[in-house]
Amino acid sequence: MLRDERFLILGGAGLVGSQIVREVSRQLRPKKIVVASLHEAEVTEFLADVKQEFPDIEFVGAWGNIFVRDDFRLASRGQLLDDPAHREALYEDLFGDLEATYERSVLVRLIREHRPDVIVDCINTATAISYQDVERISKKTHDALGQLRAAPDDPETRARLEHDVSTLLISQATSQLIRHIRLLHQAMREVRTRLYLKVGTTGTGGMGLNIPYTHSEDKPSVQLMTKTAMAFAHTGLLFLMARTPDGPLVKEIKPAAMIGYRRVAHQVVRRHGRPQLVYDSRIEPLEATLVLRDDERRYRRRGELVMAGVDTGENGFFARGEFETITHIDQMEFLTPEEIAEQVVLEIKGSNTGHDIIAGVDSNVMMPSYRAGVLRHTAIRRLLALEAESKGHSVALGQLGPPELSKLLYEAHLLKLNYGTLEAVRRTPADEIATKLFAFLEANDALRTQIVSIGVPILAPDGRRLIRGPFINIPESIYDEVPLRPEDVDRWARKGWVDLRPASIRGWQERFGRMQEAGHMLHTRGTASITRTTYLYETIEIGAVVAWIFANEEGGYRIK
């Protein structure tokens, strides 16, 4: 049996992660385990223990924020948001060029450096991404806009608005989660990771919209609902990752109860990493305004707050009353990290625990049906009849997307109308085809105007003229005009322009050659001859042609 030798445990020094490290060490005995967590101290302390427990395994520690670029991995969010240059960098990493972000990413560097066979992700990603005060920042931004309208020249108001707007832009949870998943998936494909297993969350510890444990006066709070939304958005993106070819196996275990506990102790209570202080109280009259955050210097300190409680790791330190309430029957109740770790290791081994959320979703979605396949032919025959009756061209409207789909369909349609078969296209010189198709479009007003009216321009054979309508879909831009450089033409033509240059025609001829080669075995190998590379026709059937291109050139095909 193939043995996984290198493990990366994200959040590995936390409550759940530390038990997974121990369980993996006991049962699977890999050569190397990388323990990555946010804080250096917790990683160092934990590694000191496990190195003694498992001296035959190489343990490596890593720390810092994995959701940012390498330069920012040790900075707090507050430090990053206070610096305009850092906010701009965060914006670039979120909305800028993906490949540039990939090269800067802490997570990508970690995966590239250690090349893990298995990644177990115990980070509470939904909390990390959703707890960024978007609701509060949105309200502050709205208030700042009102202040700007009242005093448009006030520099302090403008500076505050600039800070709030830029913070709001980089605090969008959905965009952060999508980019995180894309970076993670690309890195795992690069190093050939075998398995990615996520320890996720329901966001409410298994409770519903009636959850009484909240973060504000509202029940349920916006913050808590955002956490749940991100938790299940994360599951949805992992579902897509699991259905992507040439990637890792993807699993998720999603505990639906409070996870506890690390220890019961009498200790200093901490809030946001700092000791909670005890202050003398004061009596004051209720007046027109209520000060919510007063100057601490006006209150005499009595030292640090010390209390007996339960340390639940990332969930916090709970007093007896809180722990007793939240774990009571019919409340959130609780689940131990050891139980989670046992199920994680079983899933890594390949056992069917019944707890893999991705497998559960996968087995319960409705799949394509035989009935639909039969009716597809009926619909296509009717479409062909209507198309003939109307003397129109039912090719593409651009509403399905991407623009590349419309471009390919119209190019294939032009080749079909003028040549009919793959072989006829292959045996005709490319220059002759380019000239003929361009002349055909010049003479066919209805087809030409239909193409350009949906935002797909037509590039002439000489590559110097463009037939176009009032708008163009490619390049995508937030601006009405963009610079045009020679090197852009090839890229844009490939993505969304009907390209009538001879080089493009030669590309079609080569493509048709591959399609014909794949069809030679069609009647000699039985069912084994029908694969993704098989094209079933001698004629140019535009939908089948473009489906073949997406499956064989773009890697865009389903595996289930």
Side-chain angles (χ1 to χ4, degrees):
M1 185 177 75
L2 182 66
R3 179 187 176 198
D4 295 313
E5 296 187 340
R6 299 178 300 276
F7 279 70
L8 170 59
I9 315 294
L10 299 172
L15 182 67
V16 174
S18 58
Q19 294 308 316
I20 289 174
V21 170
R22 287 190 168 96
E23 201 67 23
V24 166
S25 300
R26 271 193 294 269
Q27 294 199 43
L28 304 180
R29 292 286 174 179
K31 289 184 177 179
K32 176 181 177 181
I33 299 179
V34 181
V35 177
S37 278
L38 186 59
H39 301 295
E40 179 181 4
E42 65 177 352
V43 173
T44 304
E45 181 182 352
F46 174 62
L47 288 187
D49 290 340
V50 292
K51 284 179 178 179
Q52 290 184 345
E53 292 180 55
F54 307 100
D56 296 335
I57 297 174
E58 178 190 359
F59 289 97
V60 177
W63 47 88
N65 183 355
I66 67 159
F67 298 103
V68 295
R69 61 173 63 185
D70 207 46
D71 292 345
F72 295 164
R73 70 183 183 90
L74 300 180
S76 70
R77 183 162 177 81
Q79 290 171 325
L80 295 176
L81 296 183
D82 286 343
D83 188 321
H86 289 166
R87 292 198 301 273
E88 183 64 24
L90 290 173
Y91 179 89
E92 281 300 317
D93 288 343
L94 184 57
F95 295 108
D97 181 69
L98 180 67
E99 289 306 315
T101 303
Y102 184 80
E103 295 299 326
R104 296 188 291 255
S105 165
V106 171
L107 177 61
V108 171
R109 178 189 57 77
L110 199 59
I111 293 172
R112 279 175 156 177
E113 180 180 350
H114 299 289
R115 308 184 71 83
D117 300 308
V118 175
I119 297 176
V120 181
D121 185 353
C122 309
I123 295 172
N124 196 330
T125 307
T127 299
I129 288 179
S130 62
Y131 281 21
Q132 295 182 28
D133 287 337
V134 172
E135 184 184 20
R136 183 183 65 84
I137 297 167
S138 297
K139 291 177 178 178
K140 283 183 62 182
T141 304
H142 181 266
D143 291 343
L145 284 169
Q147 293 165 6
L148 183 68
R149 285 191 289 268
D153 298 324
D154 179 31
E156 186 176 330
T157 299
R158 296 177 71 88
R160 187 164 54 249
L161 180 62
E162 188 277 333
H163 177 278
D164 290 344
V165 169
S166 59
T167 300
L168 185 60
L169 288 173
I170 59 179
S171 300
Q172 297 178 64
T174 304
S175 298
Q176 291 180 51
L177 183 61
I178 291 170
R179 181 135 292 199
H180 168 68
I181 289 294
R182 293 193 66 187
L183 296 174
L184 172 66
H185 183 243
Q186 185 172 333
M188 290 193 295
R189 290 186 68 181
E190 179 184 331
V191 306
R192 309 304 298 173
T193 295
R194 181 186 73 83
L195 169 66
Y196 173 81
L197 194 153
K198 175 69 182 174
V199 179
T201 179
T202 65
T204 60
M207 301 189 77
L209 291 171
N210 62 336
I211 181 172
Y213 310 100
T214 184
H215 299 281
S216 72
E217 297 175 60
D218 295 330
K219 289 193 297 184
S221 67
V222 170
Q223 191 176 45
L224 193 61
M225 292 299 95
T226 302
K227 177 182 176 181
T228 294
M230 288 302 102
F232 285 91
H234 199 168
T235 297
L237 292 172
L238 293 180
F239 174 75
L240 298 186
M241 189 189 292
R243 286 181 165 239
T244 305
D246 300 322
L249 298 172
V250 180
K251 301 186 177 189
E252 181 185 12
I253 288 180
K254 196 180 276 292
M258 189 199 82
I259 302 171
Y261 49 85
R262 190 193 300 270
R263 66 176 69 88
V264 176
H266 185 264
Q267 66 181 53
V268 174
V269 178
R270 293 182 173 272
R271 185 183 296 270
H272 304 305
R274 297 179 179 180
Q276 172 73 58
L277 300 177
V278 178
Y279 299 93
D280 269 349
S281 61
R282 298 177 56 186
I283 297 177
E284 63 179 28
L286 287 175
E287 296 175 337
T289 60
L290 180 63
V291 177
L292 300 181
R293 293 174 181 81
D294 204 353
D295 186 351
E296 293 182 7
R297 292 172 296 183
R298 297 179 60 200
Y299 299 77
R300 187 170 71 86
R301 293 184 181 181
R302 289 197 173 186
E304 298 173 345
L305 178 61
V306 179
M307 190 179 296
V310 176
D311 181 358
T312 64
E314 297 92 317
N315 289 319
F317 185 72
F318 296 159
R320 177 185 59 81
E322 294 169 322
F323 181 75
E324 189 175 340
T325 303
I326 200 169
T327 59
H328 196 277
I329 189 169
D330 294 333
Q331 291 299 298
M332 201 174 286
E333 305 185 25
F334 89 116
L335 181 67
T336 69
E338 292 78 14
E339 291 170 301
I340 297 170
E342 288 170 5
Q343 299 304 309
V344 165
V345 171
L346 284 172
E347 286 290 351
I348 292 171
K349 288 179 174 180
S351 299
N352 183 11
T353 67
H355 294 304
D356 175 16
I357 295 294
I358 305 303
V361 174
D362 198 58
S363 64
N364 286 286
V365 295
M366 292 187 70
M367 301 294 282
S369 70
Y370 176 81
R371 182 176 189 272
V374 172
L375 292 176
R376 174 180 182 268
H377 293 288
T378 302
I380 291 174
R381 282 199 304 270
R382 181 59 180 150
L383 281 168
L384 286 168
L386 287 172
E387 193 174 3
E389 290 172 17
S390 65
K391 297 183 172 56
H393 303 271
S394 182
V395 179
L397 294 169
Q399 296 182 18
L400 177 59
E404 185 177 7
L405 172 61
S406 300
K407 162 244 179 29
L408 289 170
L409 284 169
Y410 276 112
E411 289 179 357
H413 184 60
L414 288 168
L415 291 169
K416 177 181 177 66
L417 290 176
N418 287 272
Y419 294 94
T421 66
L422 308 183
E423 183 60 33
V425 171
R426 290 189 67 197
R427 66 169 179 255
T428 307
D431 290 357
E432 181 182 325
I433 294 176
T435 302
K436 183 175 181 178
L437 295 187
F438 188 69
F440 178 81
L441 276 175
E442 285 188 309
N444 195 318
D445 181 69
L447 179 56
R448 185 182 69 253
T449 55
Q450 178 177 309
I451 295 172
V452 300
S453 294
I454 67 166
V456 178
I458 302 163
L459 186 60
D462 60 16
R464 294 192 296 271
R465 292 171 294 161
L466 198 67
I467 302 174
R468 57 163 295 169
F471 63 92
I472 294 175
N473 294 326
I474 293 292
E476 295 177 297
S477 176
I478 59 174
Y479 301 106
D480 292 336
E481 294 184 10
V482 294
L484 176 60
R485 300 168 299 181
E487 60 267 27
D488 293 327
V489 172
D490 286 341
R491 178 162 51 91
W492 295 343
R494 188 169 60 252
K495 288 295 181 182
W497 296 1
V498 170
D499 188 355
L500 299 184
R501 295 176 298 176
S504 173
I505 303 301
R506 282 191 285 273
W508 277 102
Q509 291 173 324
E510 292 169 5
R511 178 180 290 144
F512 285 172
R514 295 196 302 275
M515 293 165 74
Q516 286 183 311
E517 288 171 9
H520 286 165
M521 303 297 181
L522 192 57
H523 303 295
T524 59
R525 293 187 179 177
T527 55
S529 65
I530 307 299
T531 68
R532 217 171 41 248
T533 62
T534 306
Y535 181 76
L536 299 173
Y537 314 97
E538 294 180 0
T539 55
I540 300 171
E541 305 303 322
I542 64 172
V545 165
V546 176
W548 187 94
I549 293 169
F550 281 173
N552 291 279
E553 296 181 7
E554 305 289 336
Y557 57 91
R558 65 183 295 154
I559 58 176
K560 296 182 184 180

